[in-house]
Amino acid sequence: TKLAEHYVEKPETYVSDMVSTGVFVFDQEIFGFMARVMEKRATEFEHEQAQESAYGRYEDLDETHNVNRLRLEQDILRAMAGDKKLSAFLCTGFWRQIKSAASAVPANGLYLQKAGKESGVSLAKSSSGGPEITGSVYIHPSAQVHPTARIGPNVSIHARVVVGPGVRINDSIILDNVHIKDNAAVLHAIVGWDCRIGKWGRVEGTKVSGTDDIDEVTHAGVKVNSICILGEDVHVKDEVFIRNSIVLPHKDLAGNKHNEVIM
């Protein structure tokens, strides 16, 4: 780590070519900084109130003047940098902002691609008698994938997953205990724990790849074209198509759904 001499949240002019990724580690000393900042804010507030009273001005105060409100980046980290108590770890690898669940799928792909370049990391490979693997794919040792399945690129298959004959999966995260039956397809999706996808079923979202793509799953309460998400224990019946939808846990889907949030 290196000492951070100055910290600015969303500067209007150029300060540095380094950006905070929003991951912080503190020790108990942080509580002392919080107490001192609150005490300083209370003193400044009383001074401002005294000045306004002396000059006969009474303005409505915004949230920045709320003495009971602390902002981590603006109030705490800036004070820590001023006291030479803030250090930074410089990450030389990739960085991907996680703004919503839609960010998880491309971030997963980046991690898999990075893992594929590192020694000692075991990613799945195509082999005689095994499934067809394209690109970066992780398959948990306890998962069962049929030799006729086509997996990848950018797929994570977790523990005790069962993938049937003819299944196609790409750009997706498949969590524990999921069963995907014959000839189903899962594309650009997150499939939650204990889900079941029936024969010829299709769970498909819209690809989110670059920073210019929509990095959210809903807007104003309406599902937008983004990844498809199945919550825990969702059952998709045979030949059902779930597209660009969010499905909350413990649902049985017997009909096609498109661009819906299913409560």
Side-chain angles (χ1 to χ4, degrees), residues 124 129-133 137-151 155-169 174-182 195-196:
E132 179 182 339
I133 304 296
V137 173
Y138 168 77
I139 300 177
H140 191 275
S142 65
Q144 302 176 36
V145 181
H146 196 274
T148 61
R150 296 177 59 196
I151 312 296
V155 172
S156 290
I157 296 177
H158 290 241
R160 299 175 298 281
V161 170
V162 178
V163 177
V167 168
R168 178 73 173 101
I169 305 175
I174 313 298
L175 298 179
D176 298 359
N177 301 313
V178 171
H179 287 201
I180 305 174
K181 295 185 179 180
D182 306 9
C195 285
R196 302 291 183 266

Side-chain angles (χ1 to χ4, degrees), residues 44-176:
E44 292 175 348
F45 177 77
E46 291 176 0
H47 180 67
E48 290 178 5
Q49 289 288 84
Q51 284 187 323
E52 290 178 359
S53 177
Y55 289 99
R57 298 195 304 264
Y58 298 92
E59 298 179 359
D60 293 333
L61 300 179
D62 58 25
E63 282 295 312
T64 61
H65 292 80
N66 186 345
V67 296
N68 295 316
R69 180 174 180 265
L70 282 179
R71 300 164 300 173
L72 177 64
E73 291 85 358
Q74 294 94 328
D75 299 325
I76 304 300
L77 297 184
R78 187 163 59 183
M80 292 179 69
D83 287 355
K84 308 298 183 185
K85 295 292 185 178
L86 183 65
S87 297
F89 174 79
L90 300 182
C91 176
T92 57
F94 73 89
W95 177 73
R96 180 65 158 83
Q97 188 174 22
I98 302 296
K99 296 170 64 178
S100 72
S103 309
V105 170
N108 177 67
L110 289 174
Y111 270 108
L112 291 172
Q113 292 167 26
K114 180 175 183 291
K117 298 176 182 178
E118 296 177 347
S119 60
V121 179
S122 179
L123 294 182
K125 303 292 184 182
S126 294
S127 61
S128 177
E132 179 182 339
I133 304 296
T134 302
S136 301
V137 173
Y138 168 77
I139 300 177
H140 191 275
S142 65
Q144 302 176 36
V145 181
H146 196 274
T148 61
R150 296 177 59 196
I151 312 296
N154 304 328
V155 172
S156 290
I157 296 177
H158 290 241
R160 299 175 298 281
V161 170
V162 178
V163 177
V167 168
R168 178 73 173 101
I169 305 175
N170 71 27
D171 287 295
S172 296
I173 300 172
I174 313 298
L175 298 179
D176 298 359

